[in-house]
Amino acid sequence: MNGACTEGVDTGFMTLGVAKVAFLGVVQGITELMPISSTAHMRLVPALLGWQDPGSAFSAAMQLAALCAVVCYFWTDIRSITLGSLAAVRTGDWMSPKFRLAVGVVLGTVPIVLAGLLLAPTLNRCDSPLRALPVIGLACLVMGGLLAAAELLARHRRRVEDMRLRDALIVGLAQVGALIPGVSRSGSTLTASLFCGFSREEAARFSFLLGIPAIALAGLHEIATLLRAHLSVEGWLILLVGLVVGAISSFAALWGLMRILERFSTWPFIIYRIVLGAIVLWVAYH
């Protein structure tokens, strides 16, 4: 394919080739689980390098790489929540912390599923206005400010086991913001979790557990979109390279993020987001 569209779907990644997609897989893997917006970086890095925009479908499909990393890293939690929830259903223990957490994850996933379905035509179309540089820059600045406020105002004491359904709904609504490039799914849910009073590492844990269904659904939805667009065999092979590289990078980034939050704070990410947002807006208007 010579252009960047296949039956109306943005498939610019096909014009990049294996080496460039592998490089972007590293970028996607590192930024997907960090609170700095992978979508923004997947829009900005190719632009800085003079490459074709890989497209929103590629960015969303690459979330399956992050999903593999999250499931592997939090496998003990996932197994414990699943088994605990099944036991609670058998015994009728509806107040079980494991059962409440499972229900919270489901409840918190509903808003982004509904919003994603409504916005899918706009997000996936070629030259989507939501991928414009001013939108990305403003989103980076706003989210940097909100994360700073959460650091300064929140108590940072609660654990995931103390989660209420109200917390899950608040964080789930915040997750909807991730549909806008520059916001970041992990950034929006981490910020909301901090405002709910969770400690930094527990906020990240809740953010990623809540994100598992959303990441899976978004990735699978984009795979289905590419199938309907009749992506070529070459296109699928290029995408597979990105997924493999992205999965390895995502696991390394997740490990690093959890170490940072356990020992320090989110201020490095706050400063990075604000500086990035300011640079993007300057570039957009000069």
Side-chain angles (χ1 to χ4, degrees), residues 142-273:
V142 171
M143 287 308 302
L146 289 174
L147 189 53
E151 273 288 352
L152 294 171
L153 301 176
R155 293 181 300 151
H156 310 307
R157 296 176 183 172
R158 297 176 61 201
R159 291 180 53 80
V160 169
E161 285 72 18
D162 302 326
M163 186 216 70
R164 301 182 294 262
L165 294 183
R166 181 181 68 185
D167 300 321
L169 184 57
I170 291 172
V171 179
L173 289 171
Q175 188 172 223
V176 173
L179 295 173
I180 301 174
V183 170
S184 166
R185 195 210 64 79
S186 62
S188 60
T189 53
L190 178 63
T191 300
S193 297
L194 289 174
F195 271 121
C196 289
F198 292 100
S199 67
R200 294 178 185 89
E201 59 270 26
E202 289 293 289
R205 181 180 164 214
F206 184 36
S207 168
F208 290 122
L209 290 174
L210 176 64
I212 289 174
I215 294 172
L217 290 171
L220 293 173
H221 177 268
E222 295 308 325
I223 293 295
T225 298
L226 293 173
L227 282 170
R228 289 194 297 271
H230 305 295
L231 189 66
S232 67
V233 173
E234 179 187 4
W236 287 113
L237 291 175
I238 292 173
L239 181 60
L240 179 61
V241 170
L243 287 170
V244 172
V245 174
I248 297 170
S249 303
S250 291
F251 188 87
L254 179 53
W255 185 90
L257 174 63
M258 296 304 292
R259 300 292 83 73
I260 291 172
L261 295 179
E262 287 170 2
R263 293 169 172 78
F264 304 105
S265 69
T266 63
W267 280 107
F269 304 112
I270 293 169
I271 295 170
Y272 179 84
R273 289 188 67 105

Side-chain angles (χ1 to χ4, degrees), residues 72-122:
C72 290
Y73 190 92
F74 289 103
W75 175 249
T76 301
D77 281 312
I78 296 170
R79 182 175 183 276
S80 175
I81 293 168
T82 302
L83 295 178
S85 299
L86 293 174
V89 171
R90 286 196 301 269
T91 60
D93 182 11
W94 310 119
M95 297 306 294
S96 162
K98 303 296 184 186
F99 179 76
R100 285 191 293 112
L101 181 54
V103 173
V105 168
V106 174
L107 178 65
T109 302
V110 172
I112 196 169
V113 170
L114 296 178
L117 291 174
L118 289 173
L119 290 175
T122 301

